[in-house]
């Protein structure tokens, strides 16, 4: 190795990108050996593999994905279908998919589901199928659920789904976070502080059944023998939380509120402030997801941390195993939720009224 970048000449101008033959010459091996190394073939001696990878790093070699696809007959591209690219959970999943795909030399495309109407979803799925490769569907909403059921047979697909109500079939290509356990832990935390019950502002569910978050909240209340108030249906964003919070603030018996995500909690905190119900002195609030702003609110938000980026990486790993025919489908939850206790939760006021 020379210790300098041979792709820059003495005049400072950048030369053409390094080729596989440049790497072979620098490592002192054949270009076929380089090909085996970058494609992860096992029949390469460890010392040779290290020498080739060092040459790849020094020369800044990047495999041409299009050329590889033509040579191998496989399209190294993954398309992610989602109805939302901005919400924290969705965006973090996309990041995880891209990180894992980049490491495996796959390109990632994004298809936005603009409507849950059958024709619009079918068109989006067909565009993804036409791109070749595999498909990941974020199925947290009706559009995503419909897309997951619309994928034609033979197209490799993985669904990022809500926590299933029961264990799915072994061949179900799904990954998920344990939302039920997360809501259970957050509710138990609030009850342990002395609150008689916990009210719940729910995010929309992708199906008409009770969501896993609602089930976890209800299970914790039932085990504690606490009253089970009716869930308040919110939306995905702060405006929905604000509207729900204004209604809950009018009830003096409300001393603890669990929100289906941190954006809803943001709206609830604002509503309680406007209503003269200080947090946590009169009302405790907990959120879901541990979005980046949660630690910097006033008061900082108690929440449940979910590893959405890891979920995206797991979705790609499951799909990659199918595309490369290296691993069977195995549906599974990803990571254990972590309760993050901050300033927004505390004991109820001494003069709290009993829940009706």
């Amino acid at each position: 190795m020379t210790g300098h970048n041979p792709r820059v000449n003495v005049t400072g101008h950048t030369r053409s990108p390094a080729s596989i033959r440049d790497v072979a010459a620098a490592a002192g091996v054949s270009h076929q050996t380089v090909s085996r190394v970058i494609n992860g073939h096992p029949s390469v001696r460890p010392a040779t593999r290290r020498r080739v990878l060092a040459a790849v790093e020094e020369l800044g070699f990047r495999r041409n994905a299009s050329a590889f696809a033509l040579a191998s007959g496989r399209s190294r591209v993954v398309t992610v279908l989602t109805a939302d690219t901005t919400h924290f959970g969705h965006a973090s999943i996309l990041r995880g998919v891209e990180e894992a795909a980049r490491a495996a030399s796959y390109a990632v495309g994004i298809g936005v589901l603009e409507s849950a109407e059958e024709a619009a979803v079918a068109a989006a799925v067909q565009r993804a199928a036409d791109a070749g490769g595999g498909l990941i569907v974020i199925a947290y909403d009706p559009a995503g659920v419909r897309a997951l059921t619309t994928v034609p047979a033979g197209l490799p697909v993985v669904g990022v789904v809500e926590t299933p109500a029961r264990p799915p079939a072994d061949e179900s290509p799904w990954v998920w976070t344990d939302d039920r356990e997360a809501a259970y832990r957050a509710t138990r935390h609030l009850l342990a502080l002395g609150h008689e019950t916990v009210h719940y502002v729910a995010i929309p569910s992708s199906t008409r059944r009770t969501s896993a978050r609602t089930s976890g909240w209800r299970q914790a209340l039932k085990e504690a023998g606490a009253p089970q108030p009716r869930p308040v249906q919110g939306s995905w964003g702060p405006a929905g939380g604000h509207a729900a919070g204004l209604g809950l603030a009018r009830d003096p018996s409300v001393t603890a509120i669990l929100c289906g995500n941190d954006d809803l909690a943001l709206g609830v905190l604002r509503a309680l402030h406007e209503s003269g119900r200080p947090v946590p002195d009169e009302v405790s609030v907990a959120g879901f997801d541990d979005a980046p702003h949660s630690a910097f609110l006033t008061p900082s938000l108690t929440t449940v941390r979910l590893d959405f980026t890891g979920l995206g990486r797991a979705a790609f790993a499951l799909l990659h195993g199918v595309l490369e025919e290296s691993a069977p489908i195995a549906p599974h939850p990803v990571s254990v939720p972590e309760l993050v206790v901050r300033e927004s939760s505390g004991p109820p006021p001494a003069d709290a009224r009993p829940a009706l």
Side-chain angles (χ1 to χ4, degrees):
M1 299 298 172
T2 62
H4 71 281
N5 188 346
R7 309 315 302 168
V8 179
N9 62 25
V10 293
T11 65
H13 293 102
T14 302
R15 299 178 184 175
S16 59
S19 69
I20 194 170
R21 294 185 184 276
D22 293 325
V23 174
V29 298
S30 68
H31 70 273
Q32 292 93 338
T33 297
V34 175
S35 179
R36 285 194 290 272
V37 170
I38 64 178
N39 288 308
H41 200 282
S43 62
V44 180
R45 287 180 296 181
T48 301
R49 187 182 303 277
R50 287 193 296 270
R51 197 161 69 248
V52 170
L53 291 175
V56 166
E57 179 68 22
E58 180 173 344
L59 297 177
F61 172 76
R62 294 292 182 271
R63 177 170 58 191
N64 185 306
S66 298
F68 176 83
L70 289 173
S72 65
R74 295 203 306 265
S75 176
R76 298 181 72 85
V77 63
V78 170
T79 300
V80 182
L81 284 181
T82 177
D84 193 333
T85 59
T86 60
H87 181 268
F88 172 68
H90 295 70
S92 298
I93 291 168
L94 289 171
R95 176 176 179 173
V97 171
E98 197 281 330
E99 287 178 355
R102 177 166 20 102
S105 298
Y106 272 69
V108 177
I110 299 174
V112 177
L113 298 165
E114 298 180 352
S115 166
E117 294 181 1
E118 185 175 354
V121 170
V125 171
Q126 187 58 55
R127 287 193 296 270
D130 290 344
L135 180 62
I136 294 173
V137 179
I138 301 177
Y140 286 163
D141 44 67
V145 171
R146 172 163 277 174
L148 194 56
T149 60
T150 305
V151 175
L155 178 62
V157 60
V158 166
V160 181
V161 300
E162 283 189 39
T163 310
R166 58 187 60 86
D170 289 343
E171 67 273 12
S172 299
W174 296 348
V175 293
W176 61 90
T177 56
D178 194 344
D179 286 1
R180 186 180 295 105
E181 176 64 19
Y184 177 83
R185 290 188 183 189
T187 307
R188 292 279 297 181
H189 163 69
L190 293 170
L191 291 171
L193 291 171
H195 296 276
E196 184 180 4
T197 191
V198 178
H199 292 256
Y200 180 53
V201 180
I203 57 173
S205 175
S206 62
T207 65
R208 292 185 179 180
R209 66 173 175 80
T210 300
S211 72
R213 296 187 182 191
T214 302
S215 295
W217 161 76
R218 190 167 283 146
Q219 178 187 351
L221 295 179
K222 183 177 180 181
E223 288 182 3
Q228 297 181 36
R230 186 179 186 133
V232 179
Q233 292 303 315
S235 60
W236 288 98
H242 184 259
L246 288 176
L248 290 169
R250 288 193 290 268
D251 183 349
S253 71
V254 173
T255 65
I257 303 172
L258 174 64
C259 301
N261 67 27
D262 290 346
D263 284 345
L264 282 177
L266 178 62
V268 168
L269 288 172
R270 180 65 191 181
L272 293 170
H273 172 74
E274 293 173 357
S275 302
R277 303 287 306 275
V279 176
D281 293 344
E282 283 194 21
V283 184
S284 288
V285 177
F288 231 101
D289 299 345
D290 195 25
H293 63 262
S294 302
F296 301 97
L297 298 173
T298 302
S300 58
L301 182 65
T302 292
T303 185
V304 185
R305 180 178 296 149
L306 298 173
D307 185 9
F308 288 112
T309 303
L311 188 63
R313 288 194 292 262
F316 176 81
L318 185 58
L319 182 60
H320 187 237
V322 176
L323 293 172
E324 300 288 342
E325 300 179 349
S326 61
I329 290 174
H332 60 281
V334 175
S335 76
V336 177
E338 178 186 354
L339 180 67
V340 182
V341 179
R342 298 195 180 105
E343 298 167 344
S344 68
S345 59
D351 59 348
R353 299 186 186 182
L356 299 178

